Amino acid sequence: MPIKSYLAHPHDGKKQHLIDALSAIKECEVLPAKNEDILVVVTDTLDDASEEILKEKIEKIDSLKLLAMVSGFNSPQN
């Protein structure tokens, strides 16, 4: 199962909208920075195909300015 973390940068004044939009996606956990307009987003999906679909869904959010992957981990299924 792929587990990835991203830094999400909102458009100016759209941080709360981005938090709300990402939090509504069940595969996402959102951790807003306290001192910056940036969010840490951790995703957990079943497989690489699901992760790609999720990433496309996230990138369509209109309050998202930039999404940068920080780390990725994929544990093999037994």
Side-chain angles (χ1 to χ4, degrees), residues 13 29 34 42 56 66 77:
E29 182 175 341
K34 294 178 182 172
V42 179
E56 290 174 9
L66 174 72
Q77 294 182 354

Side-chain angles (χ1 to χ4, degrees), residues 63-77:
S63 55
L64 178 68
K65 182 177 183 179
L66 174 72
L67 184 69
M69 187 171 72
V70 177
S71 178
F73 175 77
N74 190 6
S75 67
Q77 294 182 354

Side-chain angles (χ1 to χ4, degrees), residues 7-77:
L7 293 179
H9 299 263
H11 284 286
D12 290 338
K14 300 286 186 175
K15 183 178 179 181
Q16 189 59 52
H17 181 271
L18 185 56
I19 291 169
D20 295 343
L22 290 168
S23 296
I25 301 171
K26 68 175 183 160
E27 297 92 352
C28 293
E29 182 175 341
V30 182
L31 305 151
K34 294 178 182 172
N35 61 346
E36 295 289 332
D37 250 5
I38 194 168
L39 310 173
V40 175
V41 181
V42 179
T43 63
D44 184 1
T45 54
L46 295 174
D47 53 34
D48 289 332
S50 298
E51 177 66 30
E52 189 58 35
I53 291 168
L54 175 61
K55 187 175 173 221
E56 290 174 9
K57 186 182 209 181
I58 292 170
E59 289 175 341
K60 289 181 183 177
I61 299 172
D62 62 354
S63 55
L64 178 68
K65 182 177 183 179
L66 174 72
L67 184 69
M69 187 171 72
V70 177
S71 178
F73 175 77
N74 190 6
S75 67
Q77 294 182 354

